[in-house]
Amino acid sequence: MRFTVGGEHFDLTKEQVIAAMSDAQAEPIQKHLVQIDGSVFPPKQVFGTITGRARQSFTTMEAQRVLTRLGFVCRRAGDVNDGSSAWIGADKET
């Protein structure tokens, strides 16, 4: 998929994103998350990793727009239909 963010053009596929994030350590989730191959990441971490852009140069919403168009699930942390938590870190006690 071809897209433009901040006047810069990119060409990426869903498979390229999955490959780029396969060995990445997820940073702590704040407000938003994106699900990639069974893991969750902050959208800005993913977008910054796959494009090489500095995180200050794009918004979370821009990252989510691109990732959603590539077919990934993006949402606010805590938003799921059955009322359960969207994400609980493995290192947190429940």
Side-chain angles (χ1 to χ4, degrees), residues 35-52:
Q35 294 175 265
I36 298 177
D37 207 26
S39 297
V40 292
F41 298 90
K44 288 188 87 167
Q45 176 187 1
V46 175
F47 194 78
T49 299
I50 61 176
T51 63

Side-chain angles (χ1 to χ4, degrees), residues 19-85:
M21 300 308 295
S22 66
D23 293 326
Q25 181 71 30
E27 295 173 1
I29 302 296
Q30 301 295 318
K31 284 186 175 185
H32 301 275
L33 62 85
V34 57
Q35 294 175 265
I36 298 177
D37 207 26
S39 297
V40 292
F41 298 90
K44 288 188 87 167
Q45 176 187 1
V46 175
F47 194 78
T49 299
I50 61 176
T51 63
R53 289 189 62 122
R55 293 185 193 182
Q56 317 80 287
S57 69
F58 59 90
T59 67
T60 299
M61 295 302 115
E62 288 175 310
Q64 288 180 314
R65 175 183 54 88
V66 170
L67 294 167
T68 299
R69 285 183 57 202
L70 285 168
F72 295 104
V73 173
C74 295
R75 64 173 181 256
R76 289 181 63 92
D79 288 354
V80 289
N81 294 332
D82 66 2
S84 62
S85 297

